Amino acid sequence: MSALPIDRGWAFMVVLGFFYSSFIMVGTAKSFGIIMAELIKHFNITTATGALVIGVSGAVYTITAPFCVAFGELFTQRKVVIVGSIIGFVMVALSSLLVNIEFFVFFYGVGTGLANACFFGNGLVMVGTYFKRWRSLATGLGLTGASVGTFVMPILLEALLETYSLAGTLLIMSAIYLNGCICGALFRPLSFYSRSPGRRNPSVQELEPITKPEKEEAVMQASTEETWTEIGNEAANMEGEVELKKGLLAENQTTGDLTEPLAKAAPPARPVWRFRLCGRQFTFPVIIHFTVLKMPVVIFFTLFSFLVFIGYFNFILFLPPDVLLRGITSFEKAALVSYTGGGDLVGRVLVGFLGDLTIIRRYKILATSAILCGVNIILFEVAGQVYWWMAIHAALYGLFGGCYVAINTIVLIDMVGLEMMPKTLGVVLLIQGLGAAIGQPIEGKIRDMTKSFTPLNIINSICMVAAGLLLFLYPLVKRFQNKSIKKAETLEVQVKSDA
């Protein structure tokens, strides 16, 4: 090959691979409530124990995702995704033996967590590597797999459970994870284009059409994810590089941190970890930087993300067993989850257009989305046994939840700037993911104590509404941070003058 297929050719096969990996990851995660209802009946366990499965999966994903991205840089994203697919296949297949609940928690929870961690971040990196001009569009198309998966998987799982029982359904799910190897095979590394037989090596210009800052941006996007549940379409709606750099320049000029144009500023060296394995020395980037918690804005946004993610994901997890107690049939239950996926897809597209219009500050859009999503959770509870009413609020929950997921990272960029965003995002995702993983068994315990899902819906609604109201206080927190920075600079000048 004489040139790389940037924005053309094989690049769209990479998008296809990322679409399917998002389909697997988010579709199975958001549909787990259907599996959980069967687990509770099969093992005769409490709701808290059933929720522990997805809690373990979320915790494993949150902790290992940054390292899977780093290993993708070391060994290529193709290899990491294929290994993750095989891990998911083997461990989910073993969980189908249904020996006991502890056995299932380990193999299903750890297996899906590791597989999802290998899939998502590396998929974002590959899309960012193969696309330059159409990067946002390509990432958005790939991430629609999450919405489609949420729409399709609930009905599919319900049909499989009716036909093949729980054990057979888990075996088929393991085969679905094995198909992730196809996604990995599509993630062709760029080095492939320099090794075609019978041709000279391409020139440096051909081999390196993507500059180093752009490559770092692709790795930055991989940290998103936002979430393993979702965390996802933020990069799809990200503005072009020029606009982001303008925003960063304006942000820094406001705080007095930058007085020279960004084009003249030298990018800081990226911290790395070094280690030796089998006689070889490896390095991979440091992704989690807890020092960013010294910034009041980062603490503020982390608290917001912690609250909103608890309410957002836990509602969809407990929805299937909740509606079963209201007398809803199995397929109607699955359809409710599918409605959330349809609303999610519409919300992602809608907020992309609204956020780019700059009519409303993006943090206000995010705050409003969180509040309205929380309001629809409590209205879903009020709907009682009226199916059409529940369907409306399930779809609206998906709509406003999709808006939240799509614009979450863009708002973080607005708050801390593009340069600080990769360091900040790693810490935010770690804390919010661990909080949600812990919150699921706790809410399950509350359900077991009260024998009702009503307290859970109230808690989830309050968390989301409180998070949205909190976010409206951002201007106050920003002013406080700016005053602290100016005060520190004044003290530094006084110390130097005294010296």
Side-chain angles (χ1 to χ4, degrees), residues 101-178:
I101 187 59
E102 292 81 8
F103 182 91
F104 185 87
V105 167
F106 176 78
F107 282 99
Y108 186 93
V110 176
T112 55
L114 284 173
N116 293 340
C118 292
F119 285 170
F120 196 77
N122 288 294
L124 277 173
V125 171
M126 289 303 298
V127 173
T129 302
Y130 268 86
F131 284 87
K132 184 177 180 180
R133 181 180 178 185
W134 305 111
R135 184 175 298 161
S136 294
L137 175 62
T139 308
L141 290 174
L143 286 169
T144 56
S147 301
V148 176
T150 307
F151 184 80
V152 173
M153 285 298 291
I155 298 175
L156 175 63
L157 290 179
E158 196 61 50
L160 292 175
L161 287 169
E162 289 283 337
T163 307
Y164 301 108
S165 76
L166 180 59
T169 299
L170 291 170
L171 275 176
I172 295 174
M173 287 182 65
S174 70
I176 292 174
Y177 265 100
L178 184 60

Side-chain angles (χ1 to χ4, degrees), residues 132 208-216 241:
K132 184 177 180 180
E208 298 180 356
I210 299 176
T211 61
K212 185 176 179 182
E214 291 170 346
K215 189 71 176 290
E216 291 179 354
E241 288 182 25

Side-chain angles (χ1 to χ4, degrees), residues 77-100:
Q77 288 77 21
R78 166 183 278 180
K79 293 178 181 178
V80 174
V81 170
I82 290 176
V83 169
S85 176
I86 295 173
I87 291 173
F89 163 68
V90 172
M91 298 195 73
V92 174
L94 288 174
S95 72
S96 69
L97 297 175
L98 300 173
V99 176
N100 52 47

Side-chain angles (χ1 to χ4, degrees), residues 182-370:
I182 299 175
C183 305
L186 293 175
F187 292 162
R188 180 183 289 171
L190 292 182
S191 58
F192 169 84
Y193 297 95
S194 65
R195 294 201 298 257
S196 296
R199 293 180 181 268
R200 64 179 179 84
N201 288 338
S203 63
V204 174
Q205 289 80 6
E206 291 170 339
L207 280 176
E208 298 180 356
I210 299 176
T211 61
K212 185 176 179 182
E214 291 170 346
K215 189 71 176 290
E216 291 179 354
E217 179 186 349
V219 176
M220 170 201 75
Q221 290 176 341
S223 301
T224 309
E225 193 228 171
E226 41 217 273
T227 204
W228 53 261
T229 69
E230 244 349 86
I231 347 189
N233 198 30
E234 302 88 1
N237 299 285
M238 197 174 292
E239 296 179 345
E241 288 182 25
V242 175
E243 291 300 318
L244 286 174
K245 289 181 179 179
K246 288 180 180 178
L248 176 59
L249 179 59
E251 177 83 6
N252 287 327
Q253 285 176 341
T254 301
T255 59
D257 291 335
L258 186 65
T259 57
E260 297 182 3
L262 281 174
K264 297 181 180 180
R270 190 173 184 179
V272 296
W273 287 325
R274 292 182 172 84
F275 67 96
R276 297 188 66 84
L277 181 64
C278 299
R280 295 178 59 189
Q281 181 171 324
F282 297 94
T283 62
F284 60 91
V286 177
I287 298 178
I288 302 176
H289 303 259
F290 289 103
T291 54
V292 298
L293 290 175
K294 295 179 181 179
M295 300 170 59
V297 168
V298 175
I299 297 176
F300 172 77
F301 192 83
T302 302
L303 178 59
F304 161 79
S305 300
F306 180 85
L307 290 173
V308 77
F309 198 73
I310 288 178
Y312 174 68
F313 187 77
N314 286 347
F315 170 74
I316 193 69
L317 174 65
F318 292 108
L319 186 149
D322 181 8
V323 297
L324 280 178
L325 290 181
R326 305 188 194 189
I328 302 301
T329 65
S330 296
F331 280 97
E332 287 178 335
K333 166 196 68 178
L336 285 175
V337 182
S338 296
Y339 297 153
T340 68
D344 181 272
L345 180 59
V346 175
R348 291 170 186 262
V349 176
L350 178 64
V351 81
F353 289 109
L354 185 61
D356 289 340
L357 291 177
T358 66
I359 298 175
I360 306 173
R361 296 285 298 275
R362 281 189 285 256
Y363 81 88
K364 293 181 180 179
I365 298 175
L366 181 61
T368 304
S369 299

